[in-house]
Amino acid sequence: MELQNQTSATEFILLGLSEKPEHEPVLFSLFLCMYVITVVGNLLIILAISSDSHLHTPMYFFLANLSLVDLCLATNTVPKMLVNIQTRSKSISYSCCLTQMYFFHFFGIMDSVLIAVMAYDRFVAICHPLHYSTIMSPCLCGLLVGGPWVYSCFISLTHILFMARLVFCGNNELPHYFCDLTPLLRLSCTDTTVNRLFVLIVAGMVIATPFVCILASYARIIVAIMKVPSAGGRKKAFSTCSSHLSVVVLFYGTTIGVYLCPSSVRTAVKEKASAVMYTAVTPMLNPFIYSLRNRDLKGALRKFINRKISTSP
């Protein structure tokens, strides 16, 4: 059929995590609980850090921004899925789909870059402790957070502009619970070579490059820690990195599988499972990972909660 005779789809059908109606009540309850925990946990982290002057340091500044990004990333995808399950309406308009995709990439890129920034912060703290306050100046911290916001906005907007040139005709059923890039490209009836090439380039810049930087930082960190003479000192140094390493494994283990593995080894089920991990599970677990293993943050959370309880009528 000639391209000019094709009509582009005005909406898509999000098939969700399961096409069986009997699974939907369980999925709704599960993801509603996960989302509530995500919102409460990340808001508590942000409020505890902002209210405690002892936590106004680069490490906690980056953590507060990571919590904000995780909260926004989950909010961009999970509520729409919950509404679709509750109303039994699986449609999403073309414009809303592109909007959701924009914010998904925006906050996803921010997540990846912030995790790399936090690895650099740990590298400076452990490998150059005497110069930490000089290197991690307020100006540099502002650039390390503000720069990714601008960079992420530009990359996400470019993604959307490339998507806007595509035509979607025929099948408009998306085997996903939100408008993800890879499943959408499969539905297009026009050439997606440029889009797929851009996906690989961006994945290399915002996933592979930060991941390599994190590995390099931790290689230097491990070498520095092994030179610490006391076992107690080594244990304390490792404990400051263990939480961040857990987040690295959770986030990059899933995103690399989706965006950098060959398409021949990816399936719709694997893509949805990976997406659940980095859009719902990781944002929910991050507050627990950081707060349960951090004495200062646990103390700040207790003080914040006690202060709110004592001031409540």
Side-chain angles (χ1 to χ4, degrees):
M1 186 181 294
E2 293 296 326
L3 184 62
Q4 57 265 30
N5 293 331
Q6 296 176 347
T7 302
S8 186
T10 58
E11 67 175 16
F12 297 100
I13 306 300
L14 297 172
L15 298 180
L17 290 173
S18 175
E19 298 181 30
K20 297 181 179 180
E22 60 269 22
H23 293 167
E24 290 188 345
V26 177
L27 289 172
F28 180 84
S29 301
L30 176 63
F31 278 87
L32 178 61
C33 291
M34 291 172 63
Y35 182 65
V36 170
I37 293 171
T38 299
V39 172
V40 173
N42 283 288
L43 279 179
L44 281 175
I45 293 289
I46 295 169
L47 292 172
I49 292 174
S50 60
S51 64
D52 193 329
S53 59
H54 294 96
L55 300 184
H56 293 175
T57 63
M59 181 177 75
Y60 294 108
F61 173 65
F62 298 139
L63 177 56
N65 278 272
L66 181 67
S67 294
L68 175 61
V69 170
D70 280 340
L71 176 59
C72 294
L73 181 62
T75 300
N76 183 53
T77 55
V78 178
K80 174 60 177 174
M81 180 184 66
L82 296 176
V83 170
N84 286 355
I85 293 175
Q86 190 67 19
T87 60
R88 300 190 182 281
S89 171
K90 297 184 177 182
S91 65
I92 182 170
S93 67
Y94 178 73
S95 58
C96 288
C97 188
L98 290 186
T99 301
Q100 187 182 53
M101 186 188 299
Y102 170 83
F103 285 108
F104 167 70
H105 284 284
F106 181 85
F107 293 117
I109 293 170
M110 279 295 302
D111 230 341
S112 179
V113 177
L114 278 176
I115 292 172
V117 167
M118 294 174 76
Y120 175 72
D121 174 73
R122 292 299 83 207
F123 161 73
V124 176
I126 292 175
C127 297
H128 304 284
L130 298 179
H131 303 284
Y132 178 77
S133 58
T134 304
I135 297 174
M136 301 303 294
S137 63
C139 181
L140 179 61
C141 291
L143 287 174
L144 289 175
V145 171
W149 283 92
V150 177
Y151 173 72
S152 181
C153 179
F154 172 75
I155 295 295
S156 303
L157 183 59
T158 307
H159 262 307
I160 299 307
L161 292 176
F162 277 128
M163 289 299 298
R165 55 179 283 276
L166 300 180
V167 176
F168 298 90
C169 48
N171 182 24
N172 67 339
E173 293 183 341
L174 199 65
H176 218 301
Y177 65 96
F178 69 95
C179 288
D180 198 2
L181 181 64
T182 307
L184 264 177
L185 290 178
R186 297 195 191 105
L187 295 183
S188 176
C189 50
T190 49
D191 185 19
T192 59
T193 303
V194 175
N195 297 74
R196 295 183 185 278
L197 179 61
F198 186 68
V199 169
L200 288 176
I201 293 172
V202 171
M205 291 191 299
V206 304
I207 298 176
T209 301
F211 185 64
V212 170
C213 292
I214 290 170
L215 292 180
S217 296
Y218 274 102
R220 294 284 303 275
I221 287 171
I222 291 172
V223 171
I225 290 176
M226 296 309 296
K227 293 180 180 179
V228 176
S230 66
R234 289 195 296 269
K235 183 179 179 180
K236 183 179 179 181
F238 271 121
S239 68
T240 63
C241 301
S242 59
S243 299
H244 183 257
L245 278 173
S246 303
V247 174
V248 169
V249 172
L250 277 173
F251 183 83
Y252 287 101
T254 52
T255 53
I256 288 175
V258 172
Y259 294 104
L260 291 177
C261 283
S263 58
S264 58
V265 302
R266 298 199 305 261
T267 63
V269 174
K270 289 181 180 179
E271 286 179 352
K272 286 190 283 189
S274 298
V276 168
M277 286 298 296
Y278 60 77
T279 62
V281 177
T282 302
M284 179 188 68
L285 292 180
N286 279 356
F288 295 99
I289 291 172
Y290 282 105
S291 61
L292 292 178
R293 300 183 63 87
N294 190 301
R295 186 181 305 170
D296 294 333
L297 190 53
K298 282 192 290 187
L301 284 169
R302 279 196 298 267
K303 286 192 293 184
F304 177 78
I305 294 172
N306 291 335
R307 191 184 308 124
K308 290 301 177 183
I309 293 174
S310 61
T311 56
S312 61

